[in-house]
Amino acid sequence: MEFEDFAPKLSMLLYGVIAFVVIIGGLLLLLDVVPNYFARRREAALVAASVSTTDGPAPPPSRRLRKPGEGLLGLAFLIPALLLLLIGLVVPAIRTIILSLSNGDSTEFVGLRNYGWIFQENDIIRVLTNTLGWVVLVPLLATGVGLLYAVMVDRARFEAVAKSLIFLPMAISFVGAGIIWKFVYAYRGDGDQIGLLNWLWTTLGGEPQQFLNNAPWNTFLLIVVMVWIQAGFAMVILSAAIKAIPSDIVEAARLDGVTPWQMFWRVTLPSIRPSLIVVVVTITIATLKVFDIVRTMTNGNFDTNVVALEMYNQAFRYQENGQGSALAVFLFILVIPIVIFQIRNLRRQREV
């Protein structure tokens, strides 16, 4: 084959690499490098101010001497992980960015047309709105329910049994959970209801409802499934954080005569703040990528579609590789700031 046959593909590869570097570099610059730069300047100013108030110069910081070959040994341990990251993350990410700049069958370069399509189609706007609802409600509800569980079962008589039962949904796959809750919401016309929710509703005198067909409540009912799964995870992390609160702080607060409500808001909640952030960030990332629950229970019908499912539909059902890849890149961009925020938060915790 002639070079002219490879030229379009090479140019698309170059565009993909440039876009990948610009996106990742821009996000890192905005969310990590720039704040760290100003933090270092502020720290240097404080150090200079403290040195100027002392009688003598500050002693130079001690540095640990590296042993010969230590750097090569560290590199040898890093190479396998870097290769896996390259094969499993970097190369697919670049490939996806390239496809997002092409048409449906990847034969023509279309630039940013696929990204414009995301914000121009009413159906995709609805998908983005649904995803936003998931991202707002699931972390808040799951963390709140998990925190409530953690406080209620802390040092209870059957604490181990209660925690095991609450954590049990985490052992179920999203597909399995979707099937279970699909039976809970099941509808059978005017006959005997096999769905638990419809059975309770008709027992109280109501008419059977097609819960999964009625928007926007069907989206909230799907969110309930995700909260049911993630609340156990939140409970385990937050319960461990509550048990790690120093007993002298708790005893001092009790001697001061605080009420249980004041104990929670002024002692417990500030003490477990780092764990709360970890839980919210982790659940948020999992929620952004939600696919199985929606696919199993409604297949995205009745205004319940989300970004991950629409990405799958565009790429594999409708054979629109460009639009599916654009949604994948868009989802990737949404996740990156959350990950960087979590990294910076962990770094601050280590410094403290």
Side-chain angles (χ1 to χ4, degrees):
M1 299 179 67
E2 300 294 335
F3 176 75
E4 288 77 7
D5 299 328
F6 288 101
K9 295 183 179 180
L10 291 175
S11 62
M12 289 171 60
L13 175 62
L14 179 62
Y15 291 141
V17 172
I18 294 174
F20 180 82
V21 171
V22 169
I23 292 173
I24 302 301
L27 288 171
L28 289 174
L29 182 67
L30 180 63
L31 299 174
D32 191 61
V33 177
V34 173
N36 284 338
Y37 169 75
F38 286 107
R40 285 194 299 269
R41 287 192 58 182
R42 184 168 59 252
E43 183 179 355
L46 292 174
V47 170
S50 63
V51 170
S52 63
T53 58
T54 59
D55 296 331
S62 60
R63 299 183 63 180
R64 186 177 68 88
L65 297 177
R66 287 188 177 182
K67 297 180 180 179
E70 186 177 0
L72 293 177
L73 182 62
L75 184 62
F77 281 107
L78 281 175
I79 284 176
L82 292 176
L83 286 176
L84 290 175
L85 284 174
L86 181 67
I87 296 172
L89 179 62
V90 177
V91 173
I94 293 175
R95 175 65 176 164
T96 303
I97 292 174
I98 294 172
L99 291 175
S100 71
L101 302 174
S102 309
N103 62 350
D105 54 5
S106 306
T107 58
E108 181 183 352
F109 177 77
V110 297
L112 299 178
R113 183 193 305 172
N114 293 323
Y115 295 96
W117 164 83
I118 293 176
F119 301 100
Q120 291 173 356
E121 289 288 330
N122 291 331
D123 291 340
I124 306 302
I125 296 295
R126 181 65 182 177
V127 168
L128 298 179
T129 304
N130 288 342
T131 305
L132 178 63
W134 278 78
V135 171
V136 171
L137 292 177
V138 172
L140 293 178
L141 292 177
T143 306
V145 173
L147 180 59
L148 179 64
Y149 285 157
V151 173
M152 290 179 63
V153 304
D154 184 43
R155 296 181 178 86
R157 183 177 180 183
F158 300 103
E159 179 181 357
V161 176
K163 285 184 176 180
S164 300
L165 293 175
I166 295 169
F167 187 76
L168 189 61
M170 282 293 296
I172 304 175
S173 67
F174 283 177
V175 174
I179 293 174
I180 292 171
W181 281 86
K182 193 171 183 180
F183 280 111
V184 173
Y185 299 144
Y187 166 79
R188 272 198 174 182
D190 295 328
D192 294 335
Q193 300 298 318
I194 63 169
L196 177 61
L197 191 57
N198 261 317
W199 178 80
L200 290 173
W201 183 251
T202 53
T203 301
L204 295 174
E207 293 294 326
Q209 302 290 323
Q210 299 186 46
F211 291 107
L212 294 179
N213 294 5
N214 300 327
W217 296 108
N218 50 4
T219 296
F220 180 76
L221 294 177
L222 298 184
I223 288 174
V224 169
V225 182
M226 189 69 167
V227 172
W228 179 66
I229 295 173
Q230 296 293 335
F233 163 76
M235 181 268 300
V236 169
I237 303 298
L238 297 177
S239 178
I242 290 174
K243 290 184 179 300
I245 299 176
S247 58
D248 53 349
I249 296 178
V250 177
E251 292 299 329
R254 287 174 179 168
L255 290 175
D256 288 339
V258 299
T259 63
W261 187 252
Q262 292 172 329
M263 175 75 76
F264 174 77
W265 284 105
R266 298 183 182 181
V267 177
T268 304
L269 205 58
S271 300
I272 65 172
R273 180 179 175 274
S275 298
L276 274 174
I277 295 175
V278 170
V279 170
V280 171
V281 169
T282 305
I283 296 178
T284 301
I285 294 175
T287 304
L288 274 172
K289 301 182 293 183
V290 66
F291 169 86
D292 313 66
I293 294 174
V294 181
R295 179 76 167 82
T296 304
M297 298 185 68
T298 64
N299 198 23
N301 297 319
F302 315 112
D303 291 335
T304 59
N305 208 354
V306 289
V307 170
L309 180 57
E310 184 62 24
M311 172 189 69
Y312 167 83
N313 289 336
Q314 291 293 332
F316 299 105
R317 292 184 61 190
Y318 310 142
Q319 302 301 315
E320 288 289 343
N321 293 329
Q323 295 175 357
S325 299
L327 286 170
V329 174
F330 181 72
L331 187 61
F332 180 63
I333 293 173
L334 292 179
V335 171
I336 285 178
I338 303 174
V339 174
I340 294 176
F341 169 78
Q342 176 65 0
I343 293 173
R344 292 189 60 205
N345 182 59
L346 292 175
R347 185 183 300 167
R348 282 197 297 267
Q349 291 181 27
R350 286 198 301 267
E351 291 175 353
V352 171

